[in-house]
């Protein structure tokens, strides 16, 4: 189990959908600094690390690519080790497929 305060200063990447008052203040009360841009219609917008928020898109793309593989999306494996092994194979296959399309 994580020690108390282990996540202090962590910066969770959040979507604009979750930028509202029910989500941000509780995260901040736990010592987390959410990285979420304010909606454009906010009267009092806050500063956001836009470069860090761009990393969220990359993570979402990886999850969407793994969902194409039915075995991982439905999680047929009962053991965590088997699921993680399949996930690693899927990520390797995705990486190879992406990099084999580019000419050297």
């Amino acid at each position: 189990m994580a020690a108390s305060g282990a996540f202090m200063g962590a910066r969770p990447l959040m979507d604009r959908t979750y930028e509202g008052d029910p989500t941000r203040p509780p995260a901040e009360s736990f010592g987390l600094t959410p990285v979420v841009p304010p909606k454009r219609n906010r009267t009092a917008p806050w500063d956001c690390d836009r470069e860090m928020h761009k990393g969220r898109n990359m993570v979402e793309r990886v999850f969407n690519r793994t969902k194409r593989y039915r075995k991982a999306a439905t999680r047929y494996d009962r053991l965590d080790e088997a699921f993680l092994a399949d996930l690693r194979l899927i990520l390797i296959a995705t990486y190879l497929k992406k990099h084999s399309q580019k000419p050297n």
Side-chain angles (χ1 to χ4, degrees):
M1 188 159 158
S4 176
F7 298 107
M8 298 298 284
R11 303 190 66 181
L13 301 174
M14 298 169 62
D15 190 13
R16 272 195 180 140
T17 307
Y18 304 108
E19 65 92 38
D21 296 331
T23 309
R24 266 184 89 239
E28 290 170 346
S29 70
F30 284 109
L32 304 174
T33 306
V35 178
V36 56
K39 289 185 179 179
R40 289 180 175 88
N41 63 353
R42 277 273 177 186
T43 56
W46 54 85
D47 291 331
C48 174
D49 186 356
R50 302 240 182 232
E51 288 301 314
M52 182 177 262
H53 190 261
K54 286 180 184 178
R56 188 185 138 281
N57 183 16
M58 182 183 63
V59 171
E60 279 195 19
R61 287 179 186 220
V62 169
F63 277 112
N64 285 333
R65 285 185 187 129
T66 58
K67 287 179 184 178
R68 294 179 189 164
Y69 294 86
R70 185 172 179 210
K71 188 173 184 180
T74 56
R75 188 149 187 199
Y76 285 132
D77 299 316
R78 293 178 184 229
L79 296 176
D80 290 341
E81 293 83 9
F83 175 72
L84 290 174
D86 284 337
L87 189 59
R88 287 184 189 118
L89 287 173
I90 290 168
L91 292 173
I92 290 169
T94 304
Y95 176 83
L96 290 175
K97 182 177 180 181
K98 180 181 179 185
H99 289 283
S100 67
Q101 294 173 353
K102 294 181 180 178
N104 290 336

